[in-house]
Amino acid sequence: MRHGLILITFLMLMAGCSSEDVSQRKVDTTDELSPETMTLEPTQLITEKEMMESNQDIQLINSKNNSNVETKSLLSSQTVEEGENEIQTLSQEPMEPLVEEKEEKPAEDSIMIGDTKYINLMKEEKFQDWINVAVKYGASLYAIPYSDVFAIVKDEEVLVGMSTGVASATPNHIGILCDLMVDKGESAEKIIEGIKQVAQTGESVQLVGPQELGDDYSIEKQDEWIVVSW
């Protein structure tokens, strides 16, 4: 019996120790788990903070990017405006000629006879014979542009008028008309005599030219002008 009580007491002591060990283990386990649990909450808080900071950074970056985009857009707009202003300025500035302008020709020497314009032919070599006659009398040779009408003019007075197959002069200037007929070959002498005769008498003269040339000449007075035609 005594041995049984001792055994029971020993068992109870063992049970108490075991219970205490278990409790201690629970406490220890709690102590061990508690720090981990404690560390989880700060970890989550840090993560959220970092996320907030990260979001702020992202917003800041986006803001900077937007600012850069706006700045680039503004610069591009300013560049376009400056380019347009430069183009407008260039368009307003007078353009330099790509090719040097030719020297202006001297004003055309011309006169008006009645309502008709005559231009000077004194430098035209193909009319040199008529020019020589005009120079002899201190006059100049003129013509209506793009026509066969010519005139020897002095001091704005027509001394002799000429066209195809006809020449005329006033009685005061028959000397010029006679000089112009010198180039009529063997008929020249007869034509000059006929001009003088008509100027003196007023009567018409008919002359037959050489057969090979087939030119006949008529000299007559018309409205105070001695007219030679052929």
Side-chain angles (χ1 to χ4, degrees):
M1 185 69 176
R2 186 178 180 181
H3 290 291
L5 290 173
I6 294 171
L7 178 60
I8 292 170
T9 301
F10 178 76
L11 291 173
M12 288 177 69
L13 291 172
M14 291 294 292
C17 291
S18 176
S19 175
E20 186 177 356
D21 294 336
V22 171
S23 298
Q24 184 66 36
R25 289 180 180 177
K26 289 182 179 180
V27 173
D28 295 339
T29 302
T30 302
D31 293 339
E32 292 176 358
L33 294 174
S34 178
E36 294 180 359
T37 304
M38 294 293 289
T39 56
L40 287 175
E41 293 179 359
T43 302
Q44 294 177 352
L45 292 174
I46 291 172
T47 302
E48 291 178 358
K49 185 177 180 181
E50 289 177 349
M51 289 180 64
M52 292 177 65
E53 292 178 351
S54 177
N55 289 335
Q56 292 177 355
D57 291 339
I58 292 171
Q59 292 177 358
L60 181 60
I61 291 171
N62 290 335
S63 176
K64 289 182 178 179
N65 290 336
N66 292 334
S67 178
N68 290 335
V69 170
E70 291 177 357
T71 302
K72 290 180 180 178
S73 177
L74 180 60
L75 290 175
S76 299
S77 176
Q78 290 177 349
T79 302
V80 171
E81 291 179 359
E82 289 176 357
E84 292 178 352
N85 291 334
E86 289 179 358
I87 292 173
Q88 185 176 2
T89 301
L90 289 174
S91 64
Q92 293 176 353
E93 292 179 354
M95 296 292 291
E96 294 183 359
L98 298 178
V99 179
E100 292 183 0
E101 295 181 0
K102 294 182 179 179
E103 294 182 0
E104 293 183 1
K105 294 182 179 180
E108 185 181 69
D109 182 6
S110 63
I111 60 172
M112 295 296 295
I113 299 177
D115 295 331
T116 306
K117 178 181 178 180
Y118 283 72
I119 60 173
N120 191 298
L121 297 181
M122 294 298 287
K123 294 182 179 180
E124 297 291 335
E125 293 183 0
K126 61 183 178 180
F127 302 117
Q128 192 61 51
D129 291 341
W130 293 354
I131 291 172
N132 291 340
V133 173
V135 170
K136 179 180 178 181
Y137 293 89
S140 298
L141 178 65
Y142 286 85
I144 297 175
Y146 310 106
S147 76
D148 62 348
V149 178
F150 301 82
I152 293 177
V153 181
K154 181 179 181 180
D155 299 330
E156 298 183 358
E157 178 188 1
V158 177
L159 306 182
V160 175
M162 298 174 287
S163 185
T164 303
V166 63
S168 61
T170 61
N172 295 332
H173 301 105
I174 60 174
I176 302 175
L177 184 59
C178 291
D179 287 345
L180 291 172
M181 296 294 112
V182 172
D183 63 351
K184 297 302 182 182
E186 59 185 62
S187 298
E189 186 176 350
K190 293 180 180 180
I191 294 172
I192 293 171
E193 290 177 359
I195 291 172
K196 292 177 180 181
Q197 182 179 342
V198 172
Q200 290 175 358
T201 65
E203 296 181 358
S204 298
V205 174
Q206 301 293 326
L207 297 174
V208 177
Q211 294 293 329
E212 62 273 13
L213 298 178
D215 286 335
D216 294 332
Y217 295 90
S218 175
I219 306 170
E220 57 186 347
K221 190 174 183 179
Q222 298 178 2
D223 298 329
E224 301 300 325
W225 284 77
I226 308 299
V227 180
V228 181
S229 57
W230 58 92

